[in-house]
Amino acid sequence: MDRDEIRLLGELDGKISRILYELQKMNGRLDRHSYRLDEHDKAIERHRSYFKIIGGVLSAITVFVATLLALLVR
């Protein structure tokens, strides 16, 4: 091998190293985004559960009040 070939191989090695480094950075970002999306999904499910509970309680209170009013109006 002559010097030009060795130099070209060195440049290619450097470029490949840089590409691998950038891919690792992108994978880290994707992992963080995936984690954040999972956390958002969990929060949405928690809120959905809270609103179901609150809706159930309000429905029970409404039925109770309506029943009391119906008994009192008689």
Side-chain angles (χ1 to χ4, degrees):
M1 279 201 208
D2 65 353
R3 288 181 180 221
D4 288 335
E5 290 173 340
I6 293 173
R7 185 182 54 81
L8 286 174
L9 285 175
E11 287 178 14
L12 284 174
D13 185 47
K15 288 179 181 182
I16 290 171
S17 295
R18 181 63 184 184
I19 289 170
L20 291 174
Y21 173 75
E22 291 297 325
L23 284 174
Q24 287 174 341
K25 280 178 31 181
M26 288 171 53
N27 283 337
R29 273 188 228 125
L30 287 174
D31 288 343
R32 286 191 304 274
H33 287 193
S34 179
Y35 174 78
R36 289 175 61 194
L37 286 173
D38 289 342
E39 290 299 311
H40 286 146
D41 287 343
K42 288 177 190 175
I44 288 169
E45 285 302 316
R46 270 194 307 264
H47 285 93
R48 212 175 261 153
S49 297
Y50 297 153
F51 286 118
K52 284 180 183 177
I53 292 169
I54 290 170
V57 169
L58 289 176
S59 296
I61 291 171
T62 303
V63 169
F64 180 73
V65 170
T67 304
L68 280 179
L69 287 175
L71 291 174
L72 291 175
V73 171
R74 284 188 184 187

